[in-house]
Structure formats: C-alpha cells, structure tokens
Amino acid sequence: MGEIYKRPQVIQDLIEIATYIANNDLDSSDRFLRAAEETFKQLGKMPQSGKKSHFSNNRLQNIRQLTLKGFRKYLVFYQIIPTGVEIIRVLHGSREIEAILDNDSQEDR
C-alpha cells in the first residue's frame, strides 16, 4: 500500500462538509468522514481506481478523481506520486472545480 498524503486544505474541506451535513443529520456527518477515510485508503491501495480529470488547464492534467463512496455528490481529487497518492481536495460536484483547483495550484507556487 502506498503512502497517503493529504494537503492541509483537505482537512479543512472535510471539516466544512461534515459540519454542513451535521446541520441536518449528525449520523450522516460521521458516515461522511468514515467514507472519506475509506476512500483515501482505497486510493492508497489502488491509485489507478479514479478516473483522469479532463480539465482545460495544463497545470491540472495529472489530477484524478473518485466519487466518495456513499456520497456520490462529493469528489476526491488526487494525484499519483512516486510514494503513493496525494489527496488535493474533497469538493461537492456542483462547485466550480476547475477554477478552485487552478487557484490552489497558483497558490502552491
């Protein structure tokens, strides 16, 4: 199994989403966090399981995505690195994903 690296923004994403879900259903919020960790572990074992994202921005060409199990509106964005996977973001599918990821990639410079 490869290493799983989470960018700091991923923790913030998880907290924000879990808090939002908890406003309506505390049990679902807990299930969301467990599903996220299970998905990360799955990616560590099988990094190719996610599909390549097709963004128009060249800086984002190596980013892959996988739907969060049991929460199909939420997507995990990651890239395969030599030692495993790097989780980049967890986002709701209705957001302006390419713009968010592009903004993140510019901040990383």
Side-chain angles (χ1 to χ4, degrees):
M1 181 165 139
E3 292 288 322
I4 302 163
Y5 301 96
K6 294 178 208 151
R7 288 190 181 176
Q9 182 61 48
V10 171
I11 305 305
Q12 189 172 339
D13 290 342
L14 293 175
I15 291 168
E16 288 174 6
I17 296 167
T19 301
Y20 174 78
I21 293 171
N23 287 328
N24 294 320
D25 185 349
L26 202 53
D27 289 338
S28 289
S29 177
D30 289 342
R31 280 190 300 106
F32 169 80
L33 291 172
R34 282 194 305 272
E37 287 304 319
E38 287 175 23
T39 301
F40 300 160
K41 286 179 187 172
Q42 175 189 346
L43 289 172
K45 292 176 188 170
M46 300 182 336
Q48 301 288 342
S49 60
K51 68 177 186 173
K52 274 195 165 189
S53 299
H54 296 288
F55 296 119
S56 58
N57 187 322
N58 285 339
R59 283 194 303 266
L60 306 177
Q61 66 185 354
N62 293 324
I63 294 179
R64 301 178 76 88
Q65 67 186 57
L66 186 67
T67 303
L68 207 66
K69 187 176 181 179
F71 292 85
R72 59 189 174 92
K73 294 182 180 181
Y74 291 94
L75 303 170
V76 177
F77 293 90
Y78 69 99
Q79 52 193 74
I80 299 171
I81 56 175
T83 56
V85 294
E86 178 184 29
I87 310 297
I88 298 170
R89 295 293 302 257
V90 177
L91 299 169
H92 191 280
S94 68
R95 296 191 59 191
E96 293 289 332
I97 292 167
E98 185 165 0
I100 292 168
L101 295 176
D102 182 43
N103 186 47
D104 289 353
S105 72
Q106 289 180 25
E107 290 176 5
D108 289 344
R109 290 185 194 173

